[in-house]
Amino acid sequence: MVIFGATGDLTHRKLLPALYNLAHEGQLPSSFVIVGFARRPKSNDDFRAELLQGAQEFSRFSPINPAVWDALARGIYYHQSEFGDGAGFDKLGQLLQQIDRDHGTAGNRLFYLATSPADFSQIIVQLGAHRLVQKGGSQRIIVEKPFGRSLETADELNRVLEGVFAEKQIFRIDHYLGKETVQNILALRFANEIFEPLWNQKYVDHVQITVAESIGVEGRGGYYDTSGALRDMVQNHMMQLLSLVAMEPPIALGGEGVRDEKVKVLRSIRPIAPADVPHCALRAQYGRGSIAGKQVAAYREEPKVAPDSRTETFVALKLFLDSWRWAGAPFYLRTGKHLPKQVAEIAIQFKAPPSVLFAAEQCAPLQPNVLVLRIQPDEGIAIRMNAKVPGTTVNIQPVKMDFRYGGSFGARSPDAYERLLHDAIVGDSTLFTRRDEVEASWKIIDAVYEGWQTALPPVSYESGSWGPPEADQFIEADARQWRRP
Ligand code: BG6
């Protein structure tokens, strides 16, 4: 596996700890070799020492097992080169051939683009030009997000990729698909008989998908200011969550079945016309405030963020799916940084039951049922239902039925990158995003940005709040309310 951008944060915090975890679980091929490719000069030993530190800090198996680490470290190399330097790629080719001889890696290669997206294309072109890839051969490439910043740029990147790799060799990563709780969406829906008959607009009033973060841009201001919440979170992670919740049952879990159904969902999303953007897409930016008792800066005060930036750090969307199953039941999506806590959940809000039976005795209307899929951090599933409070009067109150992963299954779930790296190594692309999915999703996002161009700039919200008051009005206009997760 050749990691481009191997001295970056992603390698340190996610990729290497995930590879170590796989090694610890005996899930890596015995002849597995990692080559870090980056610009900074560094020796193999320095690189190994850095990676060991990453594994110690971020692996789920602590302390590090010396025997597992030593075996992995014997196959770790560092290769210094600029990304545009042809001679550097020639030398990479020589190094890989040497590794084939020494470790028996037999020409199998997995390239990982963990660099800034500005470098993606030149690296792909170099790989092709220096014959490090055979189209249709045993080399694969994992492309980190962001995959373009619009439909046009995503198309361009796809064209560059397809000039060198066949589609089956391309693995577009969306780490949300590697999360256990996200994979469990399909298990919940299709391994049970009780939910699916209700999973449609006849019984569901609406769906709310929330991905809240209490962190800010964390030193990534340079990237984030050219991106914004819609590109950074909605185009990929949230659209994937929506697809899995809304899709029809696939004919099989493997192969193309799941992705075929997901793309149909994305294509069924009604594009937001520019005139509708103000009612269907709200954007906001964090101002100063306090999170967990700590004063925090406004977005425009973050390093590498323009002082007059109009980039959104919060977005709320209302989407309609023009499909038989979902016609008329909106999907509300909400994500933001500097919100009160980190939480990701999908809430299926059912219609209210007819209240005729209890209306005479009960002054408050009955609460509708809600099924909540907690993606993180308190992974689980909860159902809100109504029950009679014990006593001589008829008093109906909502109660919660709760399943927690930790309680039921004990062991800590593997990290998303662990599952995804494993799948890329064995060549299973089910949990990766296909070209048509990326395109369908960008179409929706582009339409929103187009509408925003002529709209008012983002409103401000206090850091540590659940977004601006406009976010509440946004959903209250439909006589609904955001959940407070
Ligand atoms: C990344 C975004 O893709 O996902 C970040 O670029 C965001 O801005 C992160 O913080 C959230 O991922 P997770 O797994 O922590 O929910």
Side-chain angles (χ1 to χ4, degrees):
M1 174 168 168
V2 181
I3 306 176
F4 293 95
T7 51
D9 225 30
L10 182 73
T11 309
H12 188 71
R13 287 169 168 266
K14 296 288 181 189
L15 303 184
L16 197 279
L19 289 169
Y20 172 79
N21 293 345
L22 287 172
H24 191 279
E25 297 276 65
Q27 301 238 31
L28 281 186
S30 54
S31 54
F32 193 75
V33 172
I34 301 165
V35 178
F37 185 123
R39 289 180 277 222
R40 285 177 231 170
K42 207 177 282 281
S43 69
N44 286 336
D45 282 341
D46 289 346
F47 186 53
R48 287 175 192 142
E50 266 176 37
L51 295 188
L52 173 58
Q53 202 198 349
Q56 278 161 340
E57 204 175 334
F58 299 107
S59 163
R60 69 189 164 103
F61 300 110
S62 176
I64 295 298
N65 177 327
V68 174
W69 173 257
D70 289 347
L72 187 66
R74 274 195 289 279
I76 296 181
Y77 296 81
Y78 185 73
H79 180 68
Q80 188 267 325
S81 169
E82 294 293 323
F83 300 130
D85 175 11
F89 279 79
D90 276 338
K91 285 199 192 121
L92 173 67
Q94 290 157 15
L95 174 63
L96 294 177
Q97 280 174 8
Q98 184 61 46
I99 287 171
D100 280 345
R101 288 191 289 273
D102 295 348
H103 294 265
T105 38
N108 296 315
R109 317 267 188 258
L110 178 61
F111 299 106
Y112 198 117
L113 297 186
T115 63
S116 140
D119 295 316
F120 287 177
S121 291
Q122 61 173 340
I123 294 171
I124 298 162
V125 169
Q126 294 279 13
L127 287 174
H130 294 272
R131 300 185 185 284
L132 291 164
V133 180
Q134 239 183 327
K135 202 163 181 176
S138 62
Q139 303 81 29
R140 300 182 186 128
I141 187 162
I142 303 183
V143 188
E144 251 305 325
K145 67 176 281 271
F147 198 92
R149 59 186 317 280
S150 62
L151 177 58
E152 196 187 339
T153 50
D155 268 354
E156 257 168 52
L157 181 54
N158 274 322
R159 271 198 298 276
V160 175
L161 274 167
E162 288 178 3
V164 178
F165 294 89
E167 177 66 28
K168 72 173 179 55
Q169 293 171 281
I170 305 171
F171 290 69
R172 299 173 192 82
I173 204 161
D174 183 321
H175 78 278
Y176 267 57
L177 292 178
K179 291 182 192 272
E180 280 291 333
T181 43
V182 173
Q183 290 161 44
N184 195 41
I185 297 172
L186 294 193
L188 174 87
R189 291 188 55 194
F190 304 126
N192 294 294
E193 188 64 4
I194 58 174
F195 300 114
E196 205 46 29
L198 308 178
W199 209 268
N200 57 59
Q201 45 78 24
K202 284 200 180 72
Y203 298 97
V204 173
D205 177 72
H206 71 281
V207 177
Q208 286 186 25
I209 305 180
T210 301
V211 180
E213 294 185 285
S214 54
I215 56 168
V217 291
E218 307 286 292
R220 295 159 76 224
Y223 149 73
Y224 196 88
D225 210 34
T226 62
S227 170
L230 193 59
R231 288 192 181 95
D232 186 51
M233 295 295 289
V234 182
Q235 184 273 333
N236 35 63
H237 310 323
M238 297 190 76
M239 285 296 184
Q240 288 296 332
L241 296 179
L242 182 147
S243 310
L244 290 167
V245 171
M247 69 187 242
E248 296 301 320
I251 49 170
L253 285 181
E256 298 300 326
V258 173
R259 299 195 291 184
D260 285 345
E261 294 307 330
K262 282 196 301 169
V263 77
K264 285 188 206 160
V265 173
L266 295 170
R267 289 189 183 138
S268 76
I269 298 174
R270 191 184 305 160
I272 303 179
D276 291 335
V277 163
H279 319 291
C280 297
L282 174 86
R283 60 178 166 164
Q285 190 186 74
Y286 62 77
R288 292 180 185 172
S290 111
I291 293 176
K294 226 180 106 202
Q295 292 303 310
V296 291
Y299 175 70
R300 290 176 178 190
E301 297 167 333
E302 299 275 11
K304 297 197 190 147
V305 168
D308 57 351
S309 171
R310 289 170 62 129
T311 301
E312 77 286 355
T313 60
F314 176 97
V315 52
L317 290 182
K318 174 163 74 163
L319 299 175
F320 284 100
L321 275 52
D322 286 332
S323 66
W324 184 264
R325 189 188 280 263
W326 294 113
F331 282 66
Y332 295 94
L333 275 52
R334 170 178 59 153
T335 184
K337 295 205 183 276
H338 272 190
L339 300 185
K341 57 178 177 175
Q342 187 220 8
V343 59
E345 64 159 48
I346 301 169
I348 317 292
Q349 305 260 352
F350 289 90
K351 292 186 171 168
S355 63
V356 281
L357 267 189
F358 299 102
E361 316 247 358
Q362 176 95 359
C363 25
L366 294 179
Q367 299 278 324
N369 297 120
V370 185
L371 172 65
V372 181
L373 283 61
R374 290 194 307 268
I375 306 296
Q376 64 190 27
D378 178 22
E379 290 89 353
I381 295 172
I383 297 180
R384 184 176 77 187
M385 54 195 182
N386 290 316
K388 180 182 172 301
V389 180
T392 49
T393 57
V394 180
N395 181 5
I396 310 286
Q397 293 288 328
V399 292
K400 190 160 109 178
M401 203 158 88
D402 210 352
F403 148 70
R404 285 159 195 268
Y405 278 77
S408 299
F409 296 120
R412 209 174 134 190
S413 296
D415 182 71
Y417 276 94
E418 223 171 301
R419 171 66 195 263
L420 295 174
L421 286 175
H422 170 269
D423 285 8
I425 290 166
V426 301
D428 181 351
S429 54
T430 312
L431 296 179
F432 292 81
T433 325
R434 213 165 56 185
R435 177 176 183 156
D436 49 3
E437 290 180 81
V438 172
E439 289 172 353
S441 161
W442 272 122
K443 273 189 196 148
I444 310 296
I445 302 299
D446 280 0
V448 176
Y449 276 118
E450 199 187 316
W452 278 348
Q453 269 179 11
T454 50
L456 295 170
V459 290
S460 177
Y461 60 98
E462 191 184 335
S463 283
S465 72
W466 279 101
E470 285 84 346
D472 291 331
Q473 292 151 17
F474 177 88
I475 193 165
E476 283 162 11
D478 296 341
R480 298 182 175 111
Q481 284 195 326
W482 292 117
R483 287 171 39 78
R484 284 282 176 260

